[in-house]
Amino acid sequence: KQIQIEVKTIAVDALAVIVHPENKVEQLTREQLEKIFTGEITNWKDVGGNDDAIVVYSRENSSGTYEFFKEHVMSKKNYASTVLNMPATGAIVQSVGQTKGAIGYVGLAYIEKTVKPLEVSYDKGKTYVAPNVANAKSKKYPITRPLFYYYLATTEKTVSPYVKFVLSPEGQKIVLNEGYVPLN
């Protein structure tokens, strides 16, 4: 028997690249990020920073965020074996905030004052865009992904009022308050 699944897009998430707040680097290109996460660039001096080793944090490979970053930022290349894989986004924020040479990536909702988000360029350094709700909504910020609800088609009657609420102006306000990007 075949199971029918319904998929509804309910919000957008932007992935921010974060560093320790004392890091003087403010922006990186997609190509530089790829080289950092694949282990080709290992010192901040190679991307305009101080002469410090880069400590790379990532989600673990069972995470959808890990796969998304690999596909959309690293051109599907493998992460370096030196990358420190964390079980949760909160652990990345904490580690980057406590480690001078650290870099990692987290959803917009997880950015705190203990870390500094970087501007990112997807046009080889011509324009750099900050990770924020406005830039994600306007699609200027390049590292974004849709967020979905999946449910069984047979539960449509039960689930539909909830999905309608989430997509309503009130529901989308909650999406925004939680740090995600509303659809409209």
Side-chain angles (χ1 to χ4, degrees), residues 14 134 138:
S138 70

Side-chain angles (χ1 to χ4, degrees), residues 12 18 32 38 55 58 62 66 69 71 91 102-103 106 113 145 166 168 170-171:
V12 173
I18 56 169
Q32 289 171 318
T38 58
V55 183
S58 170
S62 61
Y66 171 101
F69 195 85
E71 192 171 312
I103 189 170
V106 297
K113 285 180 171 50
R145 60 182 178 166
V166 173
S168 75
E170 195 183 345

Side-chain angles (χ1 to χ4, degrees), residues 21-181:
E22 289 174 26
N23 192 326
K24 71 177 193 181
V25 172
E26 300 287 334
Q27 54 190 33
L28 291 171
T29 64
R30 189 208 59 78
E31 293 78 9
Q32 289 171 318
L33 287 169
E34 178 186 307
K35 288 177 179 173
I36 287 169
F37 281 84
T38 58
E40 201 179 317
I41 294 176
T42 58
N43 194 300
W44 284 108
K45 72 176 186 309
D46 297 328
V47 290
N50 294 330
D51 186 3
D52 289 316
I54 300 176
V55 183
V56 183
Y57 289 96
S58 170
R59 285 297 309 275
E60 54 197 2
N61 63 10
S62 61
S63 158
T65 313
Y66 171 101
E67 282 301 326
F68 181 85
F69 195 85
K70 180 177 177 175
E71 192 171 312
H72 293 269
V73 180
M74 299 166 57
S75 300
K76 300 182 180 166
K77 295 188 173 82
N78 289 324
Y79 288 86
S81 59
T82 52
V83 170
L84 302 163
N85 292 321
M86 305 307 271
T89 302
I92 293 178
V93 173
Q94 190 177 7
S95 300
V96 171
Q98 293 171 349
T99 311
K100 273 268 171 57
I103 189 170
Y105 56 87
V106 297
L108 214 50
Y110 291 89
I111 295 176
E112 295 175 10
K113 285 180 171 50
T114 57
V115 295
K116 179 174 80 173
L118 298 181
E119 293 186 350
V120 176
S121 171
Y122 264 52
D123 59 7
K124 299 197 170 17
K126 284 192 214 74
T127 53
Y128 287 88
V129 185
N132 59 42
V133 171
N135 288 339
K137 204 171 176 178
S138 70
K139 300 192 173 21
K140 279 186 197 144
Y141 185 73
I143 315 172
T144 60
R145 60 182 178 166
L147 297 177
F148 305 108
Y149 276 154
Y150 293 92
Y151 55 91
L152 295 171
T154 54
T155 64
E156 180 83 45
K157 268 198 180 92
T158 316
V159 176
S160 185
Y162 176 69
V163 173
K164 270 195 187 111
F165 170 75
V166 173
L167 294 173
S168 75
E170 195 183 345
Q172 289 293 291
K173 198 177 281 181
I174 294 169
V175 163
L176 181 62
N177 291 340
E178 289 301 317
Y180 297 97
V181 182

